[in-house]
Amino acid sequence: MKVRDILLVIILSFLAVIAMPVQALKYEEKPNVTAYIVGSNYLDRGEQKTIYITIYNPAERKKVDYIDKEEAAFFAGREDLLFTAYNVEVKLEGNEYIEVKTPAQKIPALPPFKPVNIAFVVKVKDEAKAGKYELKLKVKFDRIDDLLYLDTYYPQVVPVQKTVQGENETVTYKYEVLTERYKLRYKEESRDITIPIYVKEKEVKLEVVKVSAENMTGKSKGKLVVEVKNIGEKTAKNAYLVLETPSGFKASALSLSQAMPTMPAMNVPVTQMQMPPAMSMLPSMPAQAASMPSAQPAYYVGELKPGETAKAIFYVRTNVKDEGNYTFKIKAVYLDEYGNIAESDPVPFGVYVAKAPDFVVKSVKSKVFVNAKGDVIITLIPIMDLKDVSVYLATKPPLSVLSSEYYLGDVQAGKEYTAVFKVQASDEAKPVKYPAEIKLKYRSMDEYFYTDARSVGIKVNPKMKFEVYGTPKIAAGSEGIVEWTIKNVGNFTIREATARLGITDPFSSDDDTAYIGTLKPGETAVIKFKLSVDADATPKKYGLNLEVKYKDLEDEWAISEPTKAVIEVVPPKPPYGAIALVVIIAIVAVAYYLRRRKK
């Protein structure tokens, strides 16, 4: 045969081989991969989130057609190999608005009905619009297509593993028996699976546009006007603006007669509340309005659409005294598109609070005496302008305040003001300073508040004192007028004063009082008493108690402490007749004596 003929036969044989169909396994429900997202596929703009996609091989074991007995023998008892997806690779592809940060992931084998969860980190860009986005999950895997060859042979024992144990490197061999050798042909499959992702509309979100503060001072009541804007993409229906205050503050919204009603009690529709007549001119409240605990200060603004602004007015009581910036928060409580109660995230904003009102005590003058009442005059200087100011004084025994409040009215910072109080000291008081407290009450808007109390000292002056001069004499058994000089050594003028002498044995009197009248500090007066002395009285000096009853500075009767009035009792005088007889006898005796000497 010629060479040309030989080449022709070879070419025809090759073409015949090519034209012959490739023999492969035939079986239904070949391996496949499906996928679906687990959990929520709703994301917010700007959100980075881990989503979980479940991949799943739904192949069922059904009819398999083998080409020959060799294949049937090999796959007998191994049909799971035919329905398993091998070398599975999944890759989630993002788009212009959703970025996938997790690279492609691989699974060696995916048997039927054994789902696997794969995590992907995705981020929604800020410029993404609300709506549905479709991501592509690209899937590649291999499946068994044919048994290329199968060699069987007598059992052979071969080592397949070496294990080193301990420091002495003991070697252990594991043996397996090989009875066959085979080779499979795989076919690559690919799928594109759509994964839907929904970018949610932005929830109602507040932005504080403007804050106006009035009278925000420590220990006072102020007013806050907060203007907010809905920068979300959803409408807040039947909305309230709720103010959250820091510690030391308590807020309330406008009253019903000024604006919409404050929050009704939880789960109580506003339609069940009794509305005052003033509400008749206001917008009616919906039957399913959002509800909040009544303890929270809330201002009704109604419907707040995206881009719209609303104002809320709150009154705030400040129970702090230090100045500074304090953080408040405001949020919206509303009904969402499904009629459920929802609330926005609280938005913080700062409010400057001035220092609490205070004052300086410049002086304290006391006209209070022991066992008497008098004026306490306090001069003070406020550090800020205040309205409807009253000064309060508080004491403890042995002092008592008879008039504890002194009204000043409106005061200006830096000016001096005087408050006068009536204070009484008991007879147990000592001439010392006693502690007291003073504070201011002032009006802030429609409420009254108190400053911190300041300690002051109130001096109690000594009880009125008198000094008695002179030592009159009176003979025993006689009656006479005695007089003393009394001096006012106290600190104020007494009026309608009378002196009373304490009469004791051996003295007696029909009238133990003497009128003094008015006696200024340092002045003296003569007081006279008619006394009788017993005849058997011992001649000596006696001390009698003398006290003065008088009207004090408050036109009240008072009695001084007793002082000693000294009087001397001298021997009684003999009768005049006896004295004359003694004189005559003496003259006669002298004359007789002289005559005898002449003789």
Side-chain angles (χ1 to χ4, degrees):
M1 183 179 287
K2 295 182 179 180
V3 175
R4 185 181 62 183
D5 295 334
I6 295 174
L7 291 175
L8 181 59
V9 171
I10 294 174
I11 292 172
L12 292 175
S13 300
F14 178 74
L15 292 176
V17 172
I18 293 176
M20 291 178 62
V22 177
Q23 298 296 320
L25 286 167
K26 294 182 181 180
Y27 55 99
E28 298 179 9
E29 292 290 337
K30 297 181 178 63
N32 196 3
V33 175
T34 61
Y36 55 88
I37 195 166
V38 179
S40 175
N41 58 345
Y42 284 81
L43 284 76
D44 293 319
R45 250 169 297 186
E47 181 181 12
Q48 179 171 300
K49 183 178 180 181
T50 300
I51 63 173
Y52 294 91
I53 296 178
T54 298
I55 60 173
Y56 178 69
N57 179 1
E60 294 185 29
R61 183 183 302 179
K62 292 187 178 180
K63 179 181 178 183
V64 180
D65 294 331
Y66 298 108
I67 296 176
D68 52 36
K69 294 182 179 180
E70 187 177 64
E71 286 186 351
F74 175 77
F75 286 107
R78 301 178 180 176
E79 285 83 359
D80 285 346
L81 296 175
L82 298 174
F83 301 101
T84 299
Y86 300 95
N87 302 320
V88 181
E89 179 180 304
V90 291
K91 181 179 181 181
L92 185 63
E93 293 185 347
N95 55 34
E96 182 181 357
Y97 298 105
I98 300 179
E99 178 185 1
V100 179
K101 295 194 171 185
T102 304
Q105 300 192 52
K106 296 181 178 181
I107 301 174
L110 185 62
F113 306 107
K114 292 184 179 180
V116 176
N117 290 334
I118 301 178
F120 292 92
V121 178
V122 299
K123 181 176 182 181
V124 181
K125 297 182 179 179
D126 293 332
E127 57 270 21
K129 296 181 179 180
K132 180 180 179 181
Y133 291 84
E134 294 184 346
L135 304 185
K136 295 295 183 183
L137 183 69
K138 291 188 169 294
V139 180
K140 292 191 302 183
F141 64 92
D142 295 332
R143 65 176 179 82
I144 296 175
D145 186 54
D146 194 10
L147 176 64
L148 293 181
Y149 66 82
L150 175 65
D151 292 338
T152 60
Y153 42 84
Y154 292 107
Q156 296 182 14
V157 179
V158 296
V160 297
Q161 182 175 351
K162 181 179 72 173
T163 303
V164 179
Q165 299 178 343
E167 297 180 355
N168 297 327
E169 297 188 356
T170 301
V171 179
T172 301
Y173 291 95
K174 179 181 178 182
Y175 297 90
E176 289 187 353
V177 177
L178 299 180
T179 60
E180 63 182 5
R181 183 178 61 179
Y182 61 90
K183 184 176 182 181
L184 299 172
R185 181 174 64 194
Y186 293 87
K187 183 177 181 180
E188 184 180 276
E189 301 280 355
S190 61
R191 302 280 188 275
D192 286 344
I193 302 174
T194 300
I195 302 295
I197 296 293
Y198 294 89
V199 176
K200 296 186 293 185
E201 288 183 333
K202 286 186 178 179
E203 299 291 337
V204 173
K205 185 176 181 181
L206 299 185
E207 177 184 64
V208 177
V209 177
K210 185 180 179 181
V211 177
S212 299
E214 178 184 340
N215 201 48
M216 291 299 292
T217 303
K219 292 200 169 183
S220 297
K221 183 177 183 180
K223 180 180 178 181
L224 282 181
V225 180
V226 186
E227 184 176 352
V228 299
K229 181 179 181 181
N230 181 4
I231 60 174
E233 294 176 337
K234 292 185 178 181
T235 297
K237 298 179 182 179
N238 307 323
Y240 292 91
L241 296 181
V242 179
L243 185 67
E244 296 181 1
T245 59
S247 176
F249 295 82
K250 184 177 181 180
S252 61
L254 283 176
S255 64
L256 288 172
S257 60
Q258 294 171 301
M260 294 302 292
T262 54
M263 289 299 201
M266 180 63 77
N267 297 326
V268 178
V270 176
T271 52
Q272 297 179 11
M273 298 178 62
Q274 292 183 353
M275 297 297 178
M279 289 296 295
S280 59
M281 299 299 294
L282 298 172
S284 60
M285 290 293 293
Q288 295 181 345
S291 58
M292 284 287 296
S294 57
Q296 291 188 281
Y299 188 94
Y300 183 77
V301 296
E303 188 172 78
L304 186 59
K305 296 179 180 179
E308 288 185 344
T309 60
K311 288 183 180 180
I313 301 174
F314 301 96
Y315 292 107
V316 181
R317 294 188 63 178
T318 59
N319 195 29
V320 297
K321 62 181 181 180
D322 297 327
E323 68 175 330
N325 285 298
Y326 292 83
T327 301
F328 289 71
K329 293 180 181 180
I330 192 167
K331 65 181 179 181
V333 179
Y334 58 94
L335 298 180
D336 62 16
E337 63 267 35
Y338 306 107
N340 298 320
I341 297 176
E343 63 180 61
S344 66
D345 292 332
V347 181
F349 61 94
V351 176
Y352 174 76
V353 178
K355 187 178 180 180
D358 202 356
F359 62 97
V360 176
V361 178
K362 184 176 181 180
S363 64
V364 178
K365 296 180 180 179
S366 173
K367 295 183 179 180
V368 180
F369 293 82
V370 175
N371 197 30
K373 58 185 176 181
D375 289 339
V376 173
I377 305 168
I378 299 177
T379 302
L380 54 88
I381 304 173
I383 65 171
M384 65 175 59
D385 296 349
L386 297 172
K387 295 183 180 296
D388 288 348
V389 176
S390 292
V391 187
Y392 280 81
L393 179 67
T395 61
K396 294 181 180 180
L399 302 184
S400 59
V401 183
L402 303 180
S403 58
S404 60
E405 179 181 4
Y406 190 91
Y407 182 73
L408 295 178
D410 297 345
V411 300
Q412 297 179 4
K415 292 186 66 175
E416 291 186 8
Y417 296 88
T418 300
V420 181
F421 299 91
K422 196 68 68 180
V423 177
Q424 184 168 9
S426 70
D427 57 357
E428 297 178 355
K430 305 296 181 183
V432 295
K433 277 188 176 182
Y434 288 94
E437 287 188 343
I438 185 172
K439 61 184 176 181
L440 303 184
K441 183 180 80 170
Y442 55 94
R443 178 171 59 84
S444 180
M445 292 196 168
D446 59 345
E447 294 188 39
Y448 285 89
F449 298 84
Y450 292 90
T451 64
D452 288 342
R454 288 193 172 275
S455 296
V456 295
I458 296 179
K459 180 182 178 181
V460 175
N461 298 293
K463 201 170 185 178
M464 177 60 71
K465 290 184 178 180
F466 298 92
E467 290 181 357
V468 178
Y469 304 101
T471 307
K473 296 180 180 180
I474 187 170
S478 66
E479 180 182 66
I481 301 296
V482 295
E483 61 181 42
W484 286 275
T485 298
I486 189 169
K487 182 179 182 180
N488 180 358
V489 294
N491 297 320
F492 61 90
T493 300
I494 62 173
R495 296 179 298 105
E496 301 181 30
T498 57
R500 180 179 177 278
L501 191 65
I503 305 298
T504 60
D505 289 337
F507 302 98
S508 62
S509 176
D510 295 333
D511 185 8
D512 58 357
T513 60
Y515 185 75
I516 300 174
T518 300
L519 196 62
K520 297 180 180 179
E523 287 186 344
T524 60
V526 175
I527 52 176
K528 298 179 180 182
F529 300 91
K530 185 178 181 180
L531 295 180
S532 297
V533 185
D534 294 341
D536 58 353
T538 303
K540 66 174 183 177
K541 291 181 179 181
Y542 292 84
L544 301 179
N545 287 334
L546 180 71
E547 58 186 17
V548 179
K549 182 180 180 181
Y550 58 91
K551 281 191 175 180
D552 60 16
L553 293 173
E554 303 300 321
D555 205 29
E556 297 283 343
W557 287 108
I559 298 176
S560 69
E561 294 287 348
T563 185
K564 290 296 182 182
V566 179
I567 186 172
E568 183 177 0
V569 175
V570 297
K573 296 179 180 179
Y576 292 111
I579 295 174
L581 180 60
V582 171
V583 172
I584 293 172
I585 294 174
I587 294 173
V588 172
V590 171
Y592 176 76
Y593 175 74
L594 292 174
R595 189 178 300 118
R596 290 288 301 266
R597 287 190 65 180
K598 289 179 179 181
K599 291 180 177 182

